[in-house]
Amino acid sequence: MEQKVEISFKIDGKEVKVPEGATILEAARQHGIHIPTLCHHPDLSPYGGCRLCVVEVDGGPKLAASCVTPVRNGMEVATNNERILEARRTILEFLFAERNHYCMFCAQSGDCELQNLAYEFQMDHLTVPVLGQEFPVDTSHEDIVIDHNRCVLCGRCVRACRELAGNAVLDFQNRGGRTMIGVDLSQNLGESSCVSCGLCIQVCPTGAIFNRHRTHYAVKGKVKDWQMVESFCPECGLLCPSIYYVKANNLIKIDGRLPSDMPDRGQLCRKGRFEPLKTSKPRLTRPLERDGDGGWRELTWEEAFARVIKGLADVREAYGGQALMGLISSGCSSEELGAFRYLMVKGWQAGYLDTLDGGHFRTLIAATEGVGSNFKEAPWGAITEADLVLQIGADTSKSHPIIGALIRRAILENKAKTAVMGTENTLGEWAGEFLEVSQEDLPSLLQALLIEAGRRSKGKPSKDFYRRWASKAFTGLVNLFNQADNPIVIVGQDLTGRPDPSGLQLAFDLADLKGRLPGGVWRLVVLKPAGNSAGAWNLGLAARQGLNGHKPVKGGLLCLAAEDDLEPGLKERLSGLEFLAVLTPYFTDELRAAKILIPKPIWLETGGTYALADGSGSRFVKRILEPPQGIRPVEQILAAIGPRD
């Protein structure tokens, strides 16, 4: 192992040693010496813009920015003399004078790095005139507000957008005193190519960029009595490391954990950072029973349990256990999934058990039958290492926004080529080629690509077949695939959501044309519909046959994780049941067949295990909030509605 060269120098009269290549700021922090910074962020590239970190090097006439000045042997550095402190205070005054920094009106007051520096330097007034220029406030975005009046032009948001989020939405525009952070080509944020990851909020040191869902959550001088919980986000299966800030059992904000060695690099998407702060449906806090007029009346918990037990028992007695079904969302934790499976199979001997995304599972299983146990899905991190990313039938912007970030980083850092096949180009200008194709025609296009790229025939395509797909974009896609040495194929719901597995099988064949990754791993990433789909499928909850093919079904239990989408036709299929009980966090009047609604906690209110979507393991998601008073854990509810005979 190569040994690192150490540099010896003096800092504030103290002889220290640090690895070669370290900056003065890094060396100071390694040895517990405080140097104030504003534009610097340890997880972003050095910038040296604010100059608050200036130090004196070898007694020179000019002060140096410590965040961008490397150490050298024999160097003598002073970090805290009168000259340095005066320079820092002057710089700080200029920053305050340049824009509107009246803290009492700022959403970030109490949790602001610029404000903290003012207190550190005891700056209670300005000795320079305030410019008083007015800058726009951009409120066009659903989740993010940019107040250019509070910006110090540190450039953190610009670097984070490019280096961590793999995007290039933000940059500097204008010159001199009119310089501000521009969005795309001088657009509003809400109309831009912003993917709503919110990373700019997390790295902003002032109140210039803030979360519009939670403002004024801290006050200077008051104790920050919030609780910080480090956990993982279970929204899509990547399980990004996250930090949750909680005060008085209210979720204040969510940050990605920086630094991170996972593919997300500490970034969160809109689903992980903003969605938990929103509620679009009323919360269900008491059990409800549908009355004879189609309305609802409240029940006690014991009454609700008794009604569910009687309803399920009546169906089983009249039609047998085969007439009972259990459906559960794959957004639930593995513990909840396991308890649900035990109740329905061992307790009620239900004839049908499935997940809400069971159709995707059945398609995937059918497509892998020829592969068998040899199928090992590519890890998500392989996307950033690919030289070609081919996205087929997937809308990553809605289902897996972090995937889009990984693709963009592959382009920026690995000069990867990209292509999209599907109904919509969700990669936008980042896609090198886009072939618009409906879900029905996708298998036909895949077959054409296989024939051209693989130079092997699957039957004898007609002239009309070639004429249909002959286009400049198709030729470009074939060339991209043939030239790639390390491609990754990403498939989504337009293939996994088809009852016919032939399209997904063709995607398997295409991914296998370039051989496997080390360890026999396929060059294929299969996007899962829900956050714990992999866990639900591994536990055997997904049925090998759809509900429509299972008869008779007269009653059962439905367990929702949150505001789950039901597969097409499922709501109508459930409407014919004689009895249906639903466990749900939110009130729903859409399921007309539901006789009983029982409240359950959301994932923020219950700890549990979730499987990584790529099959590489699992993570335990901690409980972040306490559930509303009286709401019981799912495992306790399921234990209470078991059969009594």
Side-chain angles (χ1 to χ4, degrees):
M1 183 176 179
E2 185 179 352
Q3 190 171 3
K4 290 185 178 180
V5 178
E6 287 196 329
I7 300 296
S8 178
F9 75 108
K10 284 186 177 181
I11 183 167
D12 291 339
K14 179 182 177 182
E15 188 82 27
V16 298
K17 291 183 178 181
V18 294
E20 185 180 28
T23 64
I24 295 174
L25 178 62
E26 291 169 340
R29 290 183 172 177
Q30 287 176 25
H31 291 85
I33 298 173
H34 171 64
I35 297 178
T37 61
L38 198 60
C39 72
H40 179 76
H41 193 286
D43 300 300
L44 303 174
S45 60
Y47 180 55
C50 72
R51 317 306 284 183
L52 280 167
C53 68
V54 291
V55 295
E56 189 177 270
V57 178
D58 295 332
K62 293 184 178 180
L63 299 180
S66 62
C67 67
V68 292
T69 305
V71 297
R72 53 177 170 77
N73 274 316
M75 174 187 285
E76 293 190 12
V77 177
T79 69
N80 198 24
N81 60 33
E82 186 176 344
R83 175 191 175 201
I84 295 169
L85 295 179
E86 181 63 27
R88 290 174 182 168
R89 181 187 170 89
T90 301
I91 292 168
L92 190 60
E93 283 200 41
F94 284 143
L95 288 174
F96 269 89
E98 190 176 30
R99 302 285 171 102
N100 179 353
H101 296 292
Y102 295 105
C103 298
M104 69 175 66
F105 302 112
C106 180
Q108 203 68 13
S109 180
D111 191 28
C112 171
E113 294 181 38
L114 182 66
Q115 186 184 55
N116 292 340
L117 286 170
Y119 277 90
E120 179 182 336
F121 285 91
Q122 301 180 18
M123 195 185 75
D124 56 4
H125 69 283
L126 297 180
T127 62
V128 295
V130 177
L131 294 182
Q133 296 185 93
E134 287 191 15
F135 289 85
V137 179
D138 186 350
T139 61
S140 61
H141 195 279
E142 180 183 357
D143 305 307
I144 303 168
V145 176
I146 302 181
D147 185 350
H148 295 280
N149 296 282
R150 305 191 187 279
C151 180
V152 291
L153 302 175
C154 67
R156 281 193 191 179
C157 57
V158 176
R159 286 172 283 149
C161 187
R162 184 174 183 86
E163 296 170 11
L164 298 181
N167 217 343
V169 178
L170 306 177
D171 207 342
F172 295 102
Q173 72 176 38
N174 303 333
R175 301 184 68 181
R178 299 301 300 173
T179 303
M180 56 188 285
I181 299 299
V183 179
D184 282 344
L185 299 177
S186 298
Q187 293 176 281
N188 290 326
L189 191 64
E191 302 167 348
S192 70
S193 59
C194 172
V195 294
S196 306
C197 71
L199 192 57
C200 53
I201 296 175
Q202 183 170 340
V203 300
C204 180
T206 70
I209 308 179
F210 60 90
N211 184 340
R212 70 186 308 157
H213 302 295
R214 291 291 185 271
T215 61
H216 298 88
Y217 55 81
V219 178
K220 191 66 184 178
K222 299 293 184 180
V223 178
K224 293 180 181 178
D225 55 351
W226 57 54
Q227 180 187 9
M228 293 171 55
V229 182
E230 292 195 18
S231 187
F232 301 92
C233 170
E235 290 287 347
C236 76
L238 183 57
L239 294 172
C240 300
S242 308
I243 302 175
Y244 299 86
Y245 295 78
V246 180
K247 184 174 183 178
N249 204 38
N250 286 301
L251 189 58
I252 296 173
K253 65 174 180 175
I254 307 171
D255 283 341
R257 193 190 306 164
L258 295 171
S260 172
D261 56 359
M262 293 184 66
D264 62 277
R265 287 192 185 172
Q267 178 195 1
L268 294 178
C269 69
R270 58 172 177 78
K271 297 173 72 172
R273 192 183 301 272
F274 298 117
E275 293 303 322
L277 300 174
K278 306 175 187 178
T279 302
S280 60
K281 289 185 178 180
R283 190 68 190 270
L284 184 66
T285 57
R286 297 289 300 274
L288 299 177
E289 179 183 38
R290 194 180 292 276
D291 59 28
D293 298 326
W296 297 95
R297 70 181 187 90
E298 287 191 2
L299 297 174
T300 67
W301 285 88
E302 287 67 29
E303 287 175 335
F305 295 154
R307 298 284 200 285
V308 174
I309 293 171
K310 183 179 187 306
L312 296 177
D314 287 348
V315 171
R316 188 174 66 173
E317 183 177 348
Y319 305 101
Q322 288 297 310
L324 286 176
M325 66 98 196
L327 289 176
I328 187 168
S329 165
S330 292
C332 296
S333 70
S334 295
E335 288 81 0
E336 293 171 339
L337 293 167
F340 187 85
R341 185 179 190 279
Y342 185 86
L343 169 70
M344 299 309 298
V345 175
K346 298 293 185 181
W348 288 103
Q349 289 87 46
Y352 186 82
L353 183 68
D354 200 5
T355 59
L356 296 183
D357 54 10
H360 297 262
F361 168 79
R362 288 183 281 277
T363 301
L364 180 60
I365 288 298
T368 56
E369 283 181 349
V371 180
S373 59
N374 293 326
F375 177 62
K376 295 180 182 178
E377 185 177 339
W380 287 19
I383 296 172
T384 59
E385 301 170 358
D387 60 2
L388 171 66
V389 181
L390 178 56
Q391 181 177 296
I392 305 174
D395 186 352
T396 53
S397 63
K398 293 181 180 178
S399 62
H400 297 76
I402 290 292
I403 286 284
L406 299 182
I407 295 173
R408 293 189 299 272
R409 280 182 20 221
I411 297 170
L412 292 171
E413 300 170 7
N414 203 32
K415 294 182 172 54
K417 307 295 183 182
T418 56
V420 175
M421 299 165 58
T423 57
E424 186 179 356
N425 180 13
T426 59
L427 292 183
E429 61 183 12
W430 295 93
E433 297 288 353
F434 170 51
L435 279 78
E436 185 175 3
V437 56
S438 66
Q439 184 181 20
E440 293 74 22
D441 289 336
L442 197 52
S444 177
L445 178 56
L446 277 170
Q447 186 179 14
L449 180 58
L450 263 172
I451 293 171
E452 291 299 313
R455 299 299 176 187
R456 62 179 186 178
S457 176
K458 284 182 171 291
K460 293 183 178 180
S462 64
K463 291 182 179 179
D464 289 339
F465 180 87
Y466 280 111
R467 196 179 304 119
R468 183 179 189 185
W469 298 118
S471 67
K472 185 177 179 181
F474 179 71
T475 303
L477 176 57
V478 172
N479 291 335
L480 284 178
F481 193 86
N482 287 336
Q483 294 166 9
D485 295 320
N486 185 28
I488 288 291
V489 178
I490 301 172
V491 297
Q493 61 181 12
D494 282 357
L495 287 179
T496 62
R498 291 171 53 90
D500 180 5
S502 61
L504 189 56
Q505 288 170 337
L506 291 169
F508 271 71
D509 292 340
L510 182 66
D512 208 28
L513 282 181
K514 296 286 184 174
R516 312 278 171 85
L517 295 170
V521 175
W522 286 63
R523 298 180 180 276
L524 190 70
V525 173
V526 182
L527 302 185
K528 311 301 188 300
N532 200 23
S533 292
W537 300 351
N538 290 338
L539 287 170
L541 273 91
R544 295 299 182 104
Q545 183 183 23
L547 183 60
N548 289 332
H550 185 90
K551 297 179 181 180
V553 173
K554 297 295 183 179
L557 190 66
L558 171 62
C559 184
L560 303 175
E563 301 175 61
D564 298 272
D565 294 326
L566 301 184
E567 290 186 344
L570 180 57
K571 189 183 298 185
E572 291 72 17
R573 183 76 173 87
L574 296 177
S575 64
L577 299 183
E578 294 181 8
F579 178 80
L580 178 66
V582 182
L583 275 63
T584 172
Y586 301 106
F587 175 77
T588 175
D589 201 29
E590 299 171 356
L591 290 169
R592 304 304 301 176
K595 300 295 191 296
I596 304 291
L597 298 180
I598 298 180
K600 66 177 286 292
I602 58 177
W603 69 263
L604 288 163
E605 299 162 353
T606 178
T609 305
Y610 293 77
L612 287 157
D614 60 6
S616 60
S618 61
R619 301 282 187 273
F620 183 79
V621 175
K622 297 178 183 178
R623 182 171 66 181
I624 311 300
L625 302 172
E626 294 294 330
Q629 186 176 6
I631 293 184
R632 308 183 185 187
V634 171
E635 293 89 339
Q636 190 179 114
I637 296 172
L638 296 177
I641 56 178
R644 294 293 180 260
D645 49 23

